[in-house]
Amino acid sequence: MRAMIARLSPGDRLPSSRELIRRYQVGPATVSQAIATLAAEGLVISRPGSGTYVAARAQRRTEVADTAWQTVTLADRTVDTSILTDTYGAPPAGTIMLDGGYLHRSLQPTQILTAALARAARRPDAWDRAPTSGLTALRSVFATMAGGGASADDILVTAGGQSALSMAFRAIAGPGDPILMESPTYPGAIAAARAAGLRPVPVPMDADGLQPDLLADAFARTRARLLYCQPTYHNPTGTVLAPQRRRQIIDTARAAGAFVIEDDFARHLGHGAPVPPPLLADDCDGTVVYLTSLTKPAAPSLRIGTLVARGPVMERLRAIRLVDDFFVSRPLQETALELLSSPTWERHVRTLAAALRERCGALAAAVTHELPGWTLTCIPTGGLHLWVRLPYGTDATVIADMARQHGVAVSSGNRYFATELPAAYLRLGFAATTDRAELIEAARRLASTHEPAAGTR
């Protein structure tokens, strides 16, 4: 029909629906849907009782707009998303995606989500305004999941984890303030902090997670009142904060009069072993502001997360919610509630754990075999990624570029550091690919980036 419209002139009448049904050998519903799609695209106009006509074609502008004045008006650049965007553009067909941060469609609980959405849509109040803090029933479920004595009153439902991060940073600290962060850390946190006008200050990690002595030094030196950390299945390293350090981290922050933002994005991404409780469980005085999300263990478009906070800071968070967007979409909240209330949710989490454990082991073994010069910093017991240290003198961005040319998309480790790099790293994801065989093929392709060209040594 698009080809037919291109041959007609604006104002020309299209054949009748009966003629289109006969011409294309389809049903009336298909024709109606096609016309509705073309109307939404602005190609046709339907006039009830008269017919469907070719719409006037939009005039394409030929002159180039002069937007140079915006550079002066925008002034200093406080929002820098360069570490979040793909500078290479869309990958070519056939590229194996090791740089993804979400589950492959085959790992998502698509049928469960579809059923949950259908049940949510049938509620008579599905499209009513939701409470600012979120649906009471959903907040109660999140409170139970968080533990640590949290109640529904301590919960604020958010539009995913990234939204929660942005809200928490702006609620607790002001422009120009320092914020302590693990090094390396999640690039989205670095970008959100800088967008809020904060100054990220890195605190080194080791195999047991954040180092308490260096954290105390950082608090004393910077007088920061905010620490951002990922104690469980840290992104990108996969590290889990050692049990003996948990209380130390909270006590150190409390002594400095600072908040701890605990990003527990991987709460449902364990690989089968018991998942450590959140820091929130050891917090008695509101030091920890806790956040988690359903996006990673479910699907990218289930943008539902939560913030858990006690005391005046929760009032700050609710105020920011009112300024930002009033409330989170009620149908999405109802869907999340249906999902979490279903017995199939726990079954999905168990199935996902087994799949992630298998994929993690497959990619780790393949990288070790194909690239003996690369060093796996650990074999994670949860999460979606491997953190790989490259040989001395290697440029991670160059390797990432070469990998793309060989049909593999990887994440350069440079994005995960707020300041100077201690070494060259890559983050390799194992959850966004089709299957185990694709992971093994990805390692083989990565190994080919180190093979000398013909005629060289």
Side-chain angles (χ1 to χ4, degrees), residues 39-61:
E41 294 175 0
L43 297 179
V44 300
I45 298 174
S46 292
R47 298 171 183 164
S50 176
T52 303
Y53 298 83
V54 178
R57 294 184 173 89
Q59 297 296 318
R60 183 172 298 178
R61 294 183 59 174

Side-chain angles (χ1 to χ4, degrees), residues 112-128 135 329-339:
I112 304 174
L113 282 170
T114 300
L117 181 61
R119 290 193 299 271
R122 288 195 293 268
R123 294 179 180 271
D125 57 353
W127 294 99
D128 290 354
L135 300 179
S329 163
R330 183 161 190 147
L332 211 54
Q333 290 193 60
E334 296 282 9
T335 300
L337 179 59
E338 290 282 351
L339 177 68

Side-chain angles (χ1 to χ4, degrees), residues 89 103 356:
L103 300 179
L356 293 178

Side-chain angles (χ1 to χ4, degrees), residues 162-175 177 179-181 188-196 198 226-229 261 291 317 320:
Q162 191 66 27
S163 173
L165 268 182
S166 178
M167 292 172 64
F169 288 168
R170 288 179 290 138
I172 297 173
D177 287 352
I179 175 173
L180 305 187
M181 293 182 158
I190 299 174
R194 287 176 174 159
L198 308 185
L226 185 57
L227 164 68
Y228 166 78
C229 63
I261 295 182
L291 69 93
L317 290 167
I320 288 179

Side-chain angles (χ1 to χ4, degrees), residues 205-254:
M205 300 173 61
D206 59 19
D208 289 327
L210 195 61
Q211 301 183 57
D213 55 339
L214 296 179
L215 176 64
D217 290 343
F219 271 126
R221 187 176 66 255
T222 65
R223 299 185 182 275
R225 51 178 173 164
L226 185 57
L227 164 68
Y228 166 78
C229 63
Q230 306 167 81
T232 305
Y233 312 137
H234 173 267
N235 177 16
T237 67
T239 303
V240 175
L241 184 65
Q244 66 274 16
R245 292 187 180 181
R246 295 167 57 90
R247 188 70 243 176
Q248 289 179 279
I249 298 300
I250 296 175
D251 289 344
T252 300
R254 183 72 185 89

